[in-house]
Amino acid sequence: MGDYHFVYKDVEGSSTQWDDIQRKLGNLPPKPPAFKPDPFTPAEDEDSKPKDKNWIDNKTKEQLDDLEDDLDDDRFLQEYRRKRLAEMKQIVKIAKFGSIIPISGSDFVREVSQAPSDVWVVVILYKDGYPECGVLMQCLEELATMYPATKFVKIISTDCIPNYPDRNLPTILVYNNSAVKANYVGLHTFGRRCTPEGVAMILCQSDPVLNDGQSEGEASREAVIEGVRRRFIEKVVTQHENDDDGSSSD
């Protein structure tokens, strides 16, 4: 009876000492690597994630309200929610302007004299059919868009001041904290060429009248004027680039 060699494999991938000897002699192929399953990683629970700024940065006001009960035990989230709601209120406050608001004589006290103390109000007295009024109105419309935290209103001159002389049109009144801070009579006040940038510089020559709403609190007059200059330079550069593009396409 011949010699028989029995190979006992107890677990897949393992082998006997005999197999190991045969592999050393080159009679068997190399031993395959033992099978190892991928480590188990449980699915991430959304509720167990750390609740940091990124977790709620895109939450709406309604979603934050829904989370209120869950935030009671988390001081960080309570504080963040308070700041976020304050920011939303500030955005809404700024967004209520952004254009020239037409008013009548009966609206003047409410809209101008009783405006909040931190709001500058620019009033233009005008009449339809006067080209000079149209030129200045166009400049103010652009400024109202650029500086939405400043309130711009327009009123027919004789509705504001009875018998106001037409020769004084257009006239601008600047109000703050229930008081007149400046007045500008006639289009010539704003220079030979009336531009939004020129009007902005004159409006801010004494006070920081224009407010773009981007900074906390009231910016200094110097900071506002610097911002006006920067916007003017950007506008000139953009126009120059557009002119170059137009000429190159001809």
Side-chain angles (χ1 to χ4, degrees):
M1 184 175 180
D3 294 332
Y4 293 94
H5 301 282
F6 296 93
V7 177
Y8 171 72
K9 296 185 179 181
D10 52 351
V11 180
E12 184 180 358
S14 63
S15 63
T16 64
Q17 187 177 11
W18 173 260
D19 289 336
D20 296 336
I21 295 173
Q22 294 302 313
R23 286 192 177 91
K24 290 182 180 180
L25 297 175
N27 297 328
L28 288 177
K31 183 179 179 180
F35 172 74
K36 290 184 179 180
D38 294 333
F40 173 72
T41 303
E44 192 170 24
D45 183 4
E46 290 294 326
D47 293 334
S48 66
K49 289 183 178 179
K51 295 176 178 61
D52 58 9
K53 181 179 183 297
N54 293 330
W55 183 71
I56 58 174
D57 202 28
N58 293 321
K59 297 291 184 184
T60 63
K61 181 180 181 300
E62 290 75 16
Q63 289 172 322
L64 289 174
D65 288 337
D66 293 339
L67 288 170
E68 186 170 11
D69 293 338
D70 297 333
L71 304 184
D72 288 341
D73 297 329
D74 196 318
R75 294 182 180 179
F76 168 77
L77 290 178
Q78 285 182 332
E79 178 66 13
Y80 186 84
R81 179 177 181 274
R82 184 188 66 78
K83 291 181 179 179
R84 182 72 185 278
L85 292 177
E87 291 172 358
M88 290 179 178
K89 290 179 181 178
Q90 181 66 18
I91 291 172
V92 171
K93 176 182 175 182
I94 294 172
K96 69 181 179 182
F97 305 131
S99 62
I100 301 179
I101 304 169
I103 64 171
S104 63
S106 60
D107 300 326
F108 194 91
V109 172
R110 182 183 70 253
E111 297 290 342
V112 179
S113 301
Q114 295 180 351
S117 60
D118 60 340
V119 174
W120 287 86
V121 185
V122 177
V123 184
I124 177 170
L125 278 57
Y126 76 103
K127 275 187 177 179
D128 291 327
Y130 285 75
E132 295 87 352
C133 293
V135 171
L136 184 55
M137 191 78 72
Q138 188 173 1
C139 293
L140 293 182
E141 286 173 350
E142 184 170 333
L143 293 180
T145 302
M146 296 168 64
Y147 300 96
T150 295
K151 189 175 186 178
F152 289 80
V153 302
K154 62 181 180 180
I155 182 171
I156 295 174
S157 57
T158 49
D159 283 354
C160 182
I161 305 173
N163 302 316
Y164 190 73
D166 292 346
R167 65 176 179 275
N168 291 342
L169 298 179
T171 294
I172 283 185
L173 307 176
V174 178
Y175 274 76
N176 180 251
N177 201 17
S178 303
V180 178
K181 299 297 184 179
N183 63 83
Y184 306 94
V185 179
L187 188 66
H188 62 86
T189 309
F190 299 99
R192 187 177 58 177
R193 290 182 64 252
C194 185
T195 65
E197 294 76 26
V199 173
M201 295 291 287
I202 290 175
L203 288 177
C204 296
Q205 63 184 357
S206 299
D207 296 289
V209 175
L210 300 178
N211 185 353
D212 60 8
Q214 299 301 312
S215 58
E216 295 184 4
E218 185 177 271
S220 66
R221 183 184 68 86
E222 291 76 13
V224 173
I225 290 179
E226 181 60 31
V228 171
R229 290 196 183 104
R230 185 176 64 253
R231 288 174 182 267
F232 174 69
I233 293 172
E234 291 172 351
K235 182 177 179 180
V236 170
V237 171
T238 300
Q239 289 177 340
H240 181 70
E241 291 175 345
N242 291 339
D243 292 342
D244 289 344
D245 293 340
S247 59
S248 62
S249 60
D250 292 340

